[in-house]
Amino acid sequence: MFPTVREVLALDPVRHGAPRLVAGDAGLDRPVRWVHVAEVPDIATLLGGGELVLTTGIGLPGDDAGLRAFIGDLADVGVSGLVVELGRRYVSGVPRVMAAAAERRGLPLVELRRATPFVRITEAVHALIVDAQLTELRATEEIHQRFTDLSVEGADAAEVLRQAAELSGCPVVLENLSRQVLGYDPAGESAELLLDGWEQHSRRIRPTGRTAYDPDSGWLVTVVGARGQDWGRLLLRWPAGGDLPTSRATDPAGSDVRTDNGPPTRLTILVERAASTLALGRLIRRDAEGLERQIHRTLLTALLDHSRPVDEVALRSKALGVVLDRRHLVGVLVRHRADDPASESGPEAGPARLRDLSEAVGQALREAKLTALTSAVDDHSVGVLLALPDPAAEDRALSAFAAALRRVRLDAGSVRAAAGTEASRAVPGVDGARAVSGSGVDGARAGSDGAGRTAGYGVIVAAGSGVGSLREARRSLVEARQIAEAARRDRRDLPIFRLPHVGLAGLLHLLRDEPRLQTFVERELGALLEYDARHPRERLLDTLRAYLEQGRNKSAGAAAAHLSRPAFYERLARIARILDVDLDSVEAALSLHVALLALDAVRTP
């Protein structure tokens, strides 16, 4: 960080010389990297840019052309300014030709009307530069220490963003590869204004490199990822030409000085450290979850995580009385449609809700006389691995399990509803329905909607494809989990959800957080999305959607888009040019249609 010419002129040793700005006031905010004393006309060849040149003028050319060339050489090399002490070569003022040349080039030209030891000026400016550099160094050390502590503590993304905003004093936003906001901290500004139309705004931010500043938008951007897999971007707003926000990581006196070359180095360091902390935290949480399951989960979770050899799982399962060898295996996942709602029951409500569901699944398996491994596999779901004698028993076993689960949950709901009613009678002011809903079963709905509707509405039962060996069991379990996730958007009350029920849209929805899918969307539609961001009134993406949804029938597409045929055809031609594709190609149209469905899945919570 360097002081500006304006700040140098305000220093006491310079003010002692009675400075007067003769020309180049537009360059007063240029940074001063160093101070150099020179008395020869060809000094420009020895300079590197950013210097404030001090001279008495005794060695300067005597002709107008020489003075113009001298000023031109200094401007070309990028000096910050020229200070001329009067009295030796120039008595009343610098030559007009020198002032005119400096004004044309925007080079600050300053007269010192009183004799001043140049050494005092150089000492004062260099001390200011060193102090600013020390302040920058201390700020950088604090950044490193703060984010090192966050990494060690395993802080979540929200805390990392909060610390980044606090250290910088600037708004920060974390987004995925599809420009969807994953987290943000407005740094005291309006969150609504910060995030309004974010996707279109973000697509206009196009820096070069993994970490770069986009002066047009005023955002400093870095890529977030680890192990060669990028999954997002971290953005910090630092408007070009604006005042540098006050930061707790800088000197209270405000020694940070803004330049026109981009944000301070410490902000670049800050966003990169924050991004690395976010990437490391994601890896740590994933590994910690795998370790937790390996230690605390059952053999079913070991199959999902590959945390134990398949032979060991088979051996230990057999010791438990569940034979998995030479059996037809079907993965099943049972979960509530909605995640745990915030309620007055406290933080224990979620685990209790999952425990009730686990018990209901176990009881249903016993009632249906089925052999299976079963366990909670995450905070919201219970997994089941059915071991059947042959494939012919699959449909019958699944139907029996779903029916038994409905009965078990209905019975549990009736018992809890009765208990809630008694409690409300015993304790005035307690709502029995609320007491029941806190345990995860809606007793009031059970009394009004009927057994099948009540038991099935809040719970999804999803089954994967049956497999013939334990080594393939994970595929069936993962498929069941994916079907369950996709089925959360389906309002149908089906006893069991299978893969044909979710379709392509459901499959893309459950893969919406996969960076490779987001990369596919950007590759296929990124150019069109960026065009729409720059021309929001044209909405070419909607035109493409109408064309593809009408089976590439241009007449039907024009009607669906409420456009005349010529206008619709012209837009399709423009889309083809932007995306560099042949829209009449079945393969290209299929790829674009899948990308549109994937984009909808990414944008849908």
Side-chain angles (χ1 to χ4, degrees):
M1 304 302 300
F2 304 108
T4 62
V5 176
R6 189 189 308 276
E7 290 172 327
V8 169
L9 296 180
L11 295 175
D12 288 340
V14 181
R15 293 172 59 190
H16 175 75
R20 183 171 74 92
L21 180 68
V22 177
D25 59 340
L28 286 177
D29 289 323
R30 290 180 178 179
V32 177
R33 185 178 59 84
W34 205 246
V35 178
H36 193 86
V37 179
E39 298 294 355
V40 293
D42 58 348
I43 188 61
T45 58
L46 305 177
L47 302 178
E51 297 89 353
L52 181 66
V53 178
L54 307 181
T55 184
T56 62
I58 58 175
L60 297 186
D63 59 304
D64 291 353
L67 288 176
R68 292 192 192 97
F70 173 71
I71 294 297
D73 291 342
L74 292 182
D76 289 341
V77 81
V79 300
S80 300
L82 175 64
V83 178
V84 181
E85 182 188 75
L86 304 181
R88 298 198 181 188
R89 175 67 181 275
Y90 309 117
V91 179
S92 60
V94 298
R96 291 183 179 180
V97 64
M98 181 186 292
E103 184 66 29
R104 281 197 304 272
R105 300 301 299 268
L107 178 69
L109 176 60
V110 179
E111 297 175 342
L112 293 181
R113 291 168 291 174
R114 185 184 303 154
T116 302
F118 283 169
V119 66
R120 294 183 181 176
I121 296 177
T122 57
E123 286 177 346
V125 175
H126 294 168
L128 192 63
I129 292 173
V130 171
D131 287 345
Q133 290 175 336
L134 287 175
T135 299
E136 185 77 359
L137 179 60
R138 284 193 290 268
T140 301
E141 289 178 348
E142 181 175 350
I143 289 169
H144 284 299
Q145 185 61 48
R146 189 80 65 92
F147 286 107
T148 298
D149 292 341
L150 291 174
S151 297
V152 173
E153 294 169 0
D156 59 16
E159 178 62 17
V160 174
L161 296 179
R162 189 188 71 79
Q163 295 282 0
E166 179 181 338
L167 286 169
S168 64
C170 304
V172 291
V173 176
L174 175 64
E175 65 178 15
N176 63 16
L177 297 180
S178 292
R179 310 298 194 265
Q180 304 299 305
V181 176
L182 302 177
Y184 66 93
D185 191 302
E189 299 184 12
S190 169
E192 290 77 9
L193 293 178
L194 177 67
L195 300 180
D196 184 40
W198 175 259
E199 182 180 346
Q200 287 190 342
H201 177 64
S202 174
R203 292 185 183 279
R204 300 189 191 104
I205 305 172
R206 306 180 66 179
T208 57
R210 289 187 66 84
T211 301
Y213 178 66
D214 182 9
D216 294 335
S217 61
W219 285 91
L220 177 63
V221 186
T222 190
V223 177
V224 185
R227 297 178 179 174
Q229 296 184 351
D230 299 332
W231 51 267
R233 297 198 308 176
L234 182 64
L235 302 93
L236 182 147
R237 191 176 69 192
W238 192 82
D243 295 331
L244 182 68
T246 302
S247 168
R248 299 183 185 180
T250 60
D251 183 70
S255 58
D256 273 331
V257 179
R258 192 193 65 77
T259 76
D260 291 330
N261 298 323
T265 303
R266 67 175 180 83
L267 291 188
T268 300
I269 295 173
L270 186 147
V271 295
E272 289 180 339
R273 282 305 314 270
S276 63
T277 301
L278 289 166
L280 179 61
R282 180 162 170 159
L283 290 175
I284 290 175
R285 282 190 293 274
R286 186 182 66 187
D287 294 341
E289 180 66 12
L291 179 61
E292 179 182 355
R293 290 178 180 178
Q294 180 180 352
I295 296 174
H296 298 288
R297 303 292 188 183
T298 62
L299 297 176
L300 180 65
T301 311
L303 283 175
L304 282 169
D305 295 344
H306 289 308
S307 55
R308 297 175 187 268
V310 172
D311 294 340
E312 180 183 345
V313 172
L315 183 61
R316 296 190 60 179
S317 297
K318 186 175 182 179
L320 291 173
V322 180
V323 179
L324 300 178
D325 287 331
R326 299 183 180 87
R327 293 292 188 273
H328 182 73
L329 306 176
V330 182
V332 179
L333 190 129
V334 183
R335 65 157 297 149
H336 292 281
R337 280 189 183 272
D339 293 341
D340 302 332
S343 68
E344 300 175 2
S345 302
E348 296 81 10
R353 189 170 182 246
L354 181 63
R355 185 171 57 250
D356 289 344
L357 184 59
S358 298
E359 292 175 357
V361 169
Q363 186 174 345
L365 288 170
R366 290 190 294 271
E367 289 191 8
K369 296 180 173 57
L370 296 173
T371 302
L373 284 177
T374 179
S375 169
V377 293
D378 56 38
D379 293 340
H380 309 289
S381 310
V382 178
V384 178
L385 183 61
L386 292 174
L388 305 175
D390 55 70
E394 180 177 320
D395 291 339
R396 185 173 63 254
L398 289 174
S399 299
F401 169 70
L405 182 61
R406 284 175 177 262
R407 289 194 301 271
V408 169
R409 295 194 69 246
L410 176 60
D411 292 343
S414 300
V415 170
R416 290 191 176 93
T421 303
E422 292 299 324
S424 64
R425 290 173 180 169
V427 183
V430 176
D431 185 347
R434 180 187 299 172
V436 174
S437 64
S439 65
V441 180
D442 191 340
R445 195 182 324 175
S448 59
D449 289 350
R453 177 65 176 167
T454 302
Y457 182 81
V459 167
I460 293 170
V461 180
S465 302
V467 296
S469 70
L470 187 57
R471 296 188 183 277
E472 298 177 284
R474 182 180 184 275
R475 175 169 59 85
S476 183
L477 289 166
V478 170
E479 183 178 304
R481 172 183 282 174
Q482 293 173 341
I483 294 170
E485 278 294 318
R488 295 176 65 191
R489 305 174 65 200
D490 196 319
R491 293 293 93 189
R492 290 177 295 176
D493 186 22
L494 300 179
I496 301 173
F497 282 89
R498 305 299 297 267
L499 192 57
H501 296 136
V502 299
L504 177 60
L507 180 64
L508 293 174
H509 175 75
L510 58 91
L511 295 174
R512 64 192 182 280
D513 294 326
E514 170 60 48
R516 285 174 293 185
L517 181 67
Q518 297 172 9
T519 301
F520 168 74
V521 172
E522 291 301 307
R523 184 174 65 247
E524 294 293 319
L525 299 174
L528 190 61
L529 292 170
E530 290 172 3
Y531 182 90
D532 275 359
R534 295 192 302 270
H535 308 87
R537 292 186 178 181
E538 297 189 27
R539 303 179 68 175
L540 293 183
L541 188 72
D542 292 342
T543 303
L544 177 62
R545 187 189 304 276
Y547 171 68
L548 295 175
E549 288 182 350
Q550 297 302 318
R552 298 188 299 122
N553 184 317
K554 295 181 180 180
S555 298
H562 305 290
L563 294 170
S564 65
R565 290 185 184 181
F568 189 75
Y569 296 165
E570 190 278 330
R571 288 193 175 195
L572 288 181
R574 198 181 319 159
I575 292 170
R577 290 194 300 270
I578 292 172
L579 296 179
D580 191 22
V581 297
D582 179 9
L583 293 180
D584 293 327
S585 167
V586 175
E587 183 177 353
L590 176 61
S591 182
L592 290 174
H593 202 174
V594 172
L596 276 174
L597 293 174
L599 178 63
D600 293 340
V602 169
R603 287 176 169 175
T604 303

